[in-house]
Amino acid sequence: MSPILADNPFLRATVTNFFFFLGLNGFILLPLYIRDLGGTEIEIGLVMGLFNAVGIICQPLIGPWIDAVGRRPFMLLVAGLNFASALAAIAMPGIPALAVIRALQGVGFSAFFVANYSYVADLVPPARRGWALGIFGVSGLLATALAPLLSEW
């Protein structure tokens, strides 16, 4: 690990956030793939909607667990879950499998989002939290902007 990242937990968390959202947002073009598999508009909507529906339901439920267990274990577990789900999407390209994978990614997104933002809030003094969370949030938005381009490629 580079000395800059090793000495700066905020920078490490921001870089991690960038790569997590880069991988997760690589699925933005999934509707095109589902259509190529023969999926209907309803199937596309269900597969894509599962991610958000599960994410919305899980965020308030996961928060207390993250406080009890700790931020880092959740971030590591969820990064592994999302990596495994991306590999599963390659290995099992059917529409029902993609629906399950998107639901798992919804759980992963919820846990990572809550754990990572809480971790950053813990790292930064209260007087600098607005600035830090703004910079931190930009890393996720930048990944969201770049992911479709890289996914298309």
Side-chain angles (χ1 to χ4, degrees):
M1 181 182 313
S2 94
I4 294 171
L5 286 177
D7 294 341
N8 191 333
F10 172 74
L11 183 58
R12 195 169 52 239
T14 302
V15 169
T16 300
N17 191 57
F18 172 80
F19 283 109
F20 181 83
F21 280 99
L22 186 68
L24 195 62
N25 285 305
F27 284 84
I28 286 175
L29 298 177
L30 187 60
L32 302 175
Y33 181 65
I34 294 170
R35 187 188 65 210
D36 288 347
L37 290 175
T40 66
E41 289 182 14
I42 291 173
E43 289 171 320
I44 292 170
L46 285 172
V47 170
M48 296 308 288
L50 274 171
F51 172 81
N52 292 319
V54 170
I56 289 167
I57 292 168
C58 287
Q59 270 190 356
L61 302 174
I62 288 174
W65 288 0
I66 291 170
D67 286 336
V69 175
R71 283 90 162 105
R72 186 174 164 84
F74 267 91
M75 288 187 291
L76 293 171
L77 175 69
V78 173
L81 173 69
N82 278 356
F83 181 72
S85 70
L87 292 177
I90 295 167
M92 302 179 297
I95 294 171
L98 291 172
V100 171
I101 288 164
R102 288 300 283 171
L104 288 173
Q105 288 178 333
V107 172
F109 166 76
S110 292
F112 188 84
F113 184 82
V114 173
N116 211 15
Y117 268 83
S118 299
Y119 178 69
V120 169
D122 292 344
L123 287 175
V124 180
R128 305 235 357 164
R129 281 193 188 139
W131 170 86
L133 291 173
I135 296 296
F136 183 76
V138 166
S139 70
L141 292 173
L142 181 61
T144 301
L146 293 175
L149 175 66
L150 295 173
S151 295
E152 179 98 18
W153 175 65

